[in-house]
Amino acid sequence: MQTALSNNKKRIESIDILRGIVMVIMALDHTRDFFHVTSNTGDPLAIPSVSPALFFTRWITHFCAPVFVFLSGVSIYLQSFRKTKKELGLFLLKRGIWLIAAELIIMSFIFTFNPLYNIIFLEVIWAIGISMIILGLLISLPFKLILAIGLVIVVGHNLLDIAEASSAFKPGFWYNILHARGALPFANSHVLIVLYPFLPWTGLMILGYCTGIFYSSMYSPKERKKILLNIGMMVILFFVLIRFINVYGNPLPWKYQGNSLDTFFSFINLEKYPPSLLFMCITIGPAFILLAYLENIQNRFTNIVRMYGRVPFFYFLVHFFIIHIVATIVFFARGHNMDDAMKAAQQIPFLFLVPGEGFSLPVVYLIWLAVVIIMFPLCKWYDGYKTSHKQKWWLSYL
């Protein structure tokens, strides 16, 4: 297979376009986190108390992390076109370690602006990093076995919900890392907050890796489009059927509400931390369909979002930093001081945010658009730098 794939080195722009789309949407969720008036005081998915606009604003961003992780897996398979399995496995090991370090050191600071690192987060960058390490260890296995491992994890991990639902269940440190989010105290007044337990994310990356085979020379573009469309539609149909049965695939069942819209919201409101089987189905099913159609679309919009998708790690770091910097400026512009920041930090882990302060949803959308616009020239510059400095090995880790 390695020989058959070795000549396929062309960058797949549909992957960059889809990744760019979800990254633009991702910025909306992070902007809401820092600027919406209820972001630190309420659940934006708490039906029926929240408005449909707020529910949708949060819900649509659910596509970001799973699609991002899934496409990371696809991109890893594409690297097998130009790397041996040994080279690829070693690269994934080193890049995974780097991403985990970046999560602990860089992203935890950007999240909190706390130089003491009292609170350290394990979020999506950590999940990608540890998943890369695991995939790197599996890379030499037969393709069908890798696929089977990914399917067993994604389809079967919600069986752990049965044990977790017991009142006697007490997750330890390693189980929290594996499948149950939580706050884990360590050292002296330090806390590790696990938001992305890695097991289901690893399964999703493995399935993304296996999907990459459809971009090999063994499949024509016409065949690939048909396969991706069929898989996407089957995954969505599977979601509807299993969710309707209401027995398995998500920790909490959906319930009839006071009106049809809230009932629909209950039906599509799924567990992200960690991502349930049905959460992954409803987000990845449409991703397959978009991958099928985006391959033959090229216009001004796709050219713009493709630029974001070409430099995902750079975008993630910088856009989050910009959002928190602007939030800090707003904090001091309101007349607050460092004492206010320290008092607020006793309630939420982010410095320079005060629970209950913020803007309406339309203002949040305006700030989001401003952040996305600011990021475009920065991403374009960095993409140009990477393209003109391919001899710099360290750029492959960014």
Side-chain angles (χ1 to χ4, degrees):
M1 182 181 295
Q2 190 68 33
T3 303
L5 300 178
S6 60
N7 293 327
N8 193 344
K9 295 183 179 181
K10 184 179 179 182
R11 191 176 183 101
I12 309 299
E13 293 194 350
S14 57
I15 295 174
D16 289 332
I17 293 169
L18 179 56
R19 182 161 45 213
I21 290 172
V22 299
M23 289 169 62
V24 168
I25 298 172
M26 177 199 308
L28 173 60
D29 194 40
H30 298 156
T31 305
R32 182 194 58 79
D33 282 335
F34 281 84
F35 291 100
H36 191 244
V37 65
T38 67
S39 62
N40 292 296
T41 59
D43 179 3
L45 298 175
I47 53 174
S49 59
V50 300
S51 68
L54 180 56
F55 181 95
F56 179 78
T57 298
R58 171 55 175 154
W59 184 85
I60 193 64
T61 62
H62 278 345
F63 284 83
C64 302
V67 175
F68 196 82
V69 173
F70 179 80
L71 292 181
S72 295
V74 177
S75 297
I76 290 168
Y77 192 92
L78 299 184
Q79 291 186 56
S80 70
F81 299 162
R82 58 183 184 274
K83 288 184 173 76
T84 66
K85 288 187 176 181
K86 182 178 179 180
E87 291 171 338
L88 184 56
L90 183 59
F91 171 77
L92 292 175
L93 176 64
K94 293 188 291 185
R95 191 156 197 259
I97 293 172
W98 152 243
L99 288 176
I100 294 172
E103 181 79 276
L104 296 174
I105 300 170
I106 301 173
M107 287 310 305
S108 286
F109 176 76
I110 292 176
F111 287 146
T112 65
F113 274 8
N114 183 349
L116 300 178
Y117 287 91
N118 299 95
I119 299 178
I120 296 176
F121 287 89
L122 293 182
E123 290 212 36
V124 67
I125 299 300
W126 133 265
I128 292 174
I130 188 65
S131 297
M132 282 185 172
I133 293 173
I134 295 171
L135 182 54
L137 297 174
L138 299 176
I139 210 82
S140 296
L141 296 177
F143 179 85
K144 290 183 179 179
L145 180 55
I146 297 175
L147 174 60
I149 292 171
L151 286 172
V152 168
I153 293 173
V154 169
V155 176
H157 82 93
N158 280 123
L159 290 172
L160 297 173
D161 297 341
I162 299 172
E164 293 171 12
S166 170
S167 58
F169 178 76
K170 295 182 180 180
F173 174 84
W174 294 110
Y175 193 90
N176 279 114
I177 295 293
L178 182 76
H179 197 257
R181 68 171 176 170
L184 308 174
F186 72 98
N188 211 356
S189 300
H190 287 69
V191 177
L192 179 69
I193 297 181
V194 182
L195 289 179
Y196 281 67
F198 74 85
L199 181 63
W201 297 108
T202 299
L204 186 58
M205 179 178 286
I206 291 173
L207 293 186
Y209 171 82
C210 294
T211 300
I213 197 172
F214 300 126
Y215 291 90
S216 73
S217 56
M218 294 187 295
Y219 297 88
S220 68
K222 184 177 180 180
E223 290 173 322
R224 176 168 57 249
K225 181 177 181 179
K226 183 179 180 180
I227 292 170
L228 294 176
L229 280 174
N230 287 338
I231 292 176
M233 290 187 289
M234 286 189 295
V235 169
I236 294 173
L237 178 61
F238 177 83
F239 161 78
V240 173
L241 291 176
I242 301 302
R243 185 58 167 162
F244 183 78
I245 294 172
N246 222 15
V247 173
Y248 180 76
N250 198 71
L252 296 176
W254 64 275
K255 297 178 180 179
Y256 286 101
Q257 305 293 318
N259 57 69
S260 57
L261 181 61
D262 285 342
T263 299
F264 174 69
F265 284 166
S266 178
F267 191 85
I268 64 172
N269 188 13
L270 303 157
E271 181 59 52
K272 179 183 178 181
Y273 305 104
S276 67
L277 165 63
L278 294 178
F279 178 94
M280 289 187 276
C281 286
I282 194 56
T283 52
I284 298 303
F288 273 104
I289 295 173
L290 286 173
L291 281 175
Y293 283 112
L294 287 172
E295 194 163 344
N296 297 318
I297 297 178
Q298 188 172 11
N299 52 41
R300 187 174 181 181
F301 172 76
T302 59
N303 288 337
I304 291 173
V305 295
R306 178 176 59 87
M307 188 57 62
Y308 299 124
R310 286 176 61 88
V311 289
F313 187 61
F314 174 84
Y315 175 97
F316 190 86
L317 290 177
V318 177
H319 97 282
F320 227 124
F321 183 73
I322 289 174
I323 288 171
H324 205 162
I325 282 289
V326 174
T328 302
I329 294 171
V330 171
F331 174 85
F332 286 110
R334 285 195 170 109
H336 293 301
N337 54 35
M338 286 302 300
D339 288 339
D340 297 328
M342 294 299 104
K343 292 177 182 177
Q346 296 176 12
Q347 303 176 59
I348 57 175
F350 311 107
L351 284 180
F352 311 118
L353 296 180
V354 177
E357 285 190 354
F359 300 102
S360 65
L361 207 53
V363 175
V364 170
Y365 271 80
L366 289 175
I367 299 172
W368 164 60
L369 289 174
V371 170
V372 172
I373 291 170
I374 290 170
M375 284 302 304
F376 183 79
L378 297 177
C379 291
K380 187 175 182 179
W381 165 81
Y382 183 65
D383 181 59
Y385 182 82
K386 286 187 67 174
T387 302
S388 60
H389 294 78
K390 290 183 177 179
Q391 71 281 9
K392 296 184 182 295
W393 62 269
W394 53 270
L395 285 174
S396 63
Y397 291 86
L398 299 177

